[in-house]
Structures are given as structure tokens and as C-alpha cells.
Amino acid sequence: MVEPIDPPQRLLMGPGPINADPRVLRVMSAPLLGQFDPVFRQYMKEASELYRGVFQTQNRWTLLIDGSARAAIEAALVSLIEPGDRVLVPVFGRFGHLKVEIARRCGADVRALETEWGTVFPPDVLERAMRDFRPRLVAVSHGDTSTTMAQPLADLGNFCRKSDAILYVDATATLGGMELPTDAWQLDVVSAGLQKCLGGPPGSAPLTLNQRAEARILRRRHTEEGIRQPGEPQGDGPVIRSNYFDLAMIMDYWSDKALNHHTEATSMLYAAHECARILLEEGLQKSFARHARASQALVAGLQAMGLKLYGDLAHKMPNVTGVYIPEGVDGEAVRRALLEQHNIEIGTSFGPLRGRIWRIGTMGYNARPEAVEQTLRALDAVLSIYR
């Protein structure tokens, strides 16, 4: 007989997921409601309004995609990219490569602009690439947890407006943990996930889009047979090549029309609602400052242990820190000892950084002094054995 699930109590200090705020876990146990229950529809409207505050936007279309952060990335790209579109992807880590792959699957003509891992792009490099390639869409990570770097974005929205390109930003790693003013920076579409700075579980992905993006998406609107009303107008563009991730249909579902699309993930909407409520109750600037303090404390502790930090520190995210594995140390053995002996998880890395660095997160509910101190003490104890 299989026993009931009873997971160990871990401190998740990797690049995500992290430990969810207990208040978020509590609301997830609330009773289920039908997706068209007036009370539940009110929760959906509240979630939209809460995430307008989180994204710092006035965008009407601010909603949730059911699925982890990657679901929103795919929904954005499959709904915006038409076959043959030129798409520019600045790649400074693994998740830039992910956007290249998804864009190619959408039939785009993709140009991957690459820089060495551990660095980011100066604004003039991006502006020149846009001028040379003339993309219809630019898809970029704000922060890439694989390299712990954050790409400056304050100028990119303006470059895209001048070129009539749509700018999509993947803020999975940064939303709630560092400044990202959607409207002020002229970001057309932004998405994230709950499992990092927002302090929730994976499974719901907030997304916001403005009127520029709405116009491109709605020209591809095709309502499903079986729910389409006679004479209902359809878009004149090519159909979006996903049903589940069709933003035109998802927008209809979240609108007052409440046009049936999927069954909303009720408990995950509760979680997303509470993540945003807690964040706004704390205050965005206070949250950003809390993440910065936790990062500074972690960095100071790592350096005091004689460990070398990874990458261009001027552009390091405040919520994930890369640190070189000391020469002669088995990095995976250290991670395993932390997990088995101290119930603490830190991250490994990918690609050219595999086996070279650890990644330690200070995100969301775990961006607290006690979590940082516990992790540093445990790492110091383990390294005293493995060094």
C-alpha cells in the first residue's frame, strides 16, 4: 500500500522553486468553486487588479496562464509570432536559448544575439541589432537564473517603439524582486511565475499585455467551433497554433464575456491572488529592498568563506547568486550533503557552467536573514569536510 505523501521539510535556497509563503499554502486549501461562480469570477477580477499593481501597469489584459512560468512564455510567443516573422532574441543564458527554440517552433525567422554567459548586452548593442535585423518581435529575459544576470531594459522598449517591434519580456526570475515598471519602460508583454520572488508554488503564470500586443493578437482571433455564435467576427490573420495557449481565447475567457476556454486551476488562482496581495501589502519598494539586503548578506557570507562569485557583479540579480565551486571540490557531493544532512537545497547549473558554479537563491519568502544565515552556516560546515 502506498503511504500518503509526507515530504521532508526542506529549505529551498536554489534558483527556484522556493518555499511558498505559509499564507499562500493556506489559501490553497480553501473550498473549490465553479469557474463561472460569481464569487470565483470576482476573484479573477481581483487577481487582474492585483497584478496590475505588481506589474506596475494599467493594462486591461492582466491575467493568469494555468501552468508554470514556461506556459506563459509559450502563450506569449505562440500568440504573437506569425510564420515568417523576424524575431530577435538576446541570449545571455539558458532561457534565451529556450525562447529561440519556441520561436523557431512557431515558424519564425529567428536571430539569436549571443553574449558570453555571465555578461549582459549594452543598450547600444541591442539598438544596433534591431536596426540591422528589423525584427517584428524582440523576446528577452529580464533575469536569467542560469547565469544569475539581469539585463537592463530601460531603453529597449523605446528602441522597439521606434522600430514598430513588439517587446516581450520574460520576468520569471525577477517579478516582485527587483524593479520592472512595465508601462514606464514601454514593455508590451511581460510574464512571470509564482515560484520565485512572488513566494508561491509553480503552477500559475501571471501575464500582462498592452494595446499594441492586443491588436496583433486579436487579428488572429478564431473562436472555437461549438461555442462560436452565428455571425461572430473572426480575425483575418493566421490562426494561433495552440489551443490551450491561445491568448485571444484566454482573453475572452477572462473578459466579462466569460467565453468558455479551459477549466481554471482554482487552487492555483487562489495562490496567485494571495501572492500578489501579500506583495502589495508589503509594498513593492520594500520587497525590492528586502531582496537586495538578503543578496548582500549572502554575498558577504560567501566572500568571508573565501568563495569567488560568478559573473559581472554590476548586473547580478539581487535574488540569485552564482558562486564558483572551489578547485578540487565535488560540487554535487556538497549539494547532496547539504540536502541530506541539513535539509537545504542549492542549485547546480547548465551548459558551459555545469559543474563550475552553484546557484543560491534569496527569493520571495526565503529572502529573509534567518534563511540566509542557516544556508551559510550549513555550507561552511559541509565545505570544512569536502575542501
Side-chain angles (χ1 to χ4, degrees):
M1 184 69 180
V2 176
E3 296 296 319
I5 289 175
D6 184 23
Q9 292 289 333
R10 308 284 201 201
L11 178 58
L12 303 180
M13 295 295 284
I18 50 83
N19 298 93
D21 190 302
R23 292 170 288 182
V24 175
L25 296 177
R26 189 158 52 244
V27 300
M28 293 182 72
S29 65
L32 301 184
L33 293 171
Q35 59 184 324
F36 299 113
D37 186 305
V39 173
F40 188 71
R41 297 300 298 188
Q42 179 61 28
Y43 292 155
M44 291 175 71
K45 290 179 179 178
E46 290 173 2
S48 289
E49 187 58 33
L50 287 165
Y51 278 98
R52 288 185 191 101
V54 172
F55 282 112
Q56 300 180 65
T57 185
Q58 297 299 314
N59 290 342
R60 173 191 179 191
W61 298 114
T62 301
L63 44 78
L64 302 171
I65 305 297
D66 288 348
S68 64
R70 189 177 296 212
I73 298 171
E74 188 144 350
L77 295 181
V78 76
S79 300
L80 289 166
I81 296 172
E82 299 181 17
D85 278 355
R86 290 185 175 187
V87 176
L88 178 68
V89 182
V91 177
F92 58 102
R94 174 193 171 186
F95 295 101
H97 288 296
L98 170 65
K99 282 175 262 302
V100 170
E101 175 172 326
I102 295 173
R104 285 178 175 156
R105 287 175 182 240
C106 294
D109 174 9
V110 183
R111 176 172 292 183
L113 182 67
E114 298 194 42
T115 188
E116 181 182 358
W117 284 30
T119 68
V120 296
F121 296 93
D124 64 301
V125 172
L126 296 178
E127 184 177 27
R128 186 165 56 251
M130 291 193 62
R131 190 166 55 245
D132 293 344
F133 187 54
R134 307 298 295 179
R136 194 164 190 261
L137 174 76
V138 177
V140 64
S141 300
H142 184 210
D144 196 310
T145 52
S146 69
T147 65
T148 74
M149 297 294 109
Q151 173 62 45
L153 295 178
D155 298 316
L156 188 53
N158 184 46
F159 298 159
C160 289
R161 295 295 171 94
K162 290 178 179 178
S163 302
D164 195 30
I166 293 290
L167 174 56
Y168 163 66
V169 174
D170 170 11
T172 300
T174 57
L175 188 68
M178 61 185 296
E179 193 69 63
L180 186 70
T182 298
D183 289 355
W185 285 359
Q186 301 181 89
L187 313 179
D188 297 307
V189 185
V190 187
S191 73
L194 302 187
Q195 71 273 20
K196 297 184 189 282
C197 299
L198 292 174
S204 182
L207 179 146
T208 189
L209 61 93
N210 64 16
Q211 290 180 329
R212 297 180 77 233
E214 177 187 6
R216 292 205 182 177
I217 292 168
L218 291 187
R219 70 177 294 272
R220 304 177 69 191
R221 180 176 180 267
H222 290 76
T223 307
E224 285 181 21
E225 293 289 346
I227 59 174
R228 182 188 302 166
Q229 295 299 311
E232 185 175 356
Q234 302 297 297
D236 58 5
V239 67
I240 292 169
R241 294 189 176 187
S242 171
N243 179 288
Y244 189 72
F245 294 133
D246 184 325
L247 279 178
M249 290 199 288
I250 294 171
M251 288 154 65
D252 279 343
Y253 179 63
W254 277 75
S255 76
D256 289 338
K257 290 190 295 185
L259 193 60
N260 193 20
H261 178 246
H262 63 284
T263 302
E264 186 63 22
T266 311
S267 299
M268 287 309 308
L269 185 134
Y270 296 165
H273 184 290
E274 185 69 354
C275 285
R277 191 196 66 79
I278 291 169
L279 174 57
L280 295 177
E281 181 180 71
E282 177 183 14
L284 289 179
Q285 296 306 318
K286 288 183 178 179
S287 177
F288 302 156
R290 175 170 57 84
H291 280 81
R293 287 193 302 271
S295 176
Q296 291 159 6
L298 177 66
V299 165
L302 293 171
Q303 290 177 326
M305 292 161 58
L307 297 175
K308 181 184 177 184
L309 302 180
Y310 168 77
D312 172 10
L313 299 186
H315 293 103
K316 187 187 90 63
M317 284 189 285
N319 48 301
V320 188
T321 299
V323 56
Y324 282 102
I325 299 169
E327 191 73 28
V329 170
D330 184 338
E332 287 305 296
V334 169
R335 291 181 66 241
R336 188 164 54 250
L338 281 171
L339 194 66
E340 294 174 354
Q341 298 171 24
H342 299 274
N343 280 310
I344 296 174
E345 179 182 273
I346 65 171
T348 182
S349 196
F350 315 103
L353 297 179
R354 183 177 178 84
R356 294 179 56 205
I357 69 169
W358 294 308
R359 295 175 300 147
I360 304 176
T362 46
M363 294 186 281
Y365 185 68
N366 290 348
R368 296 173 289 124
E370 56 268 35
V372 174
E373 292 165 7
Q374 184 179 344
T375 302
L376 288 169
R377 285 197 302 269
L379 181 59
D380 193 29
V382 170
L383 280 177
S384 68
I385 298 170
Y386 282 89
R387 267 177 160 169

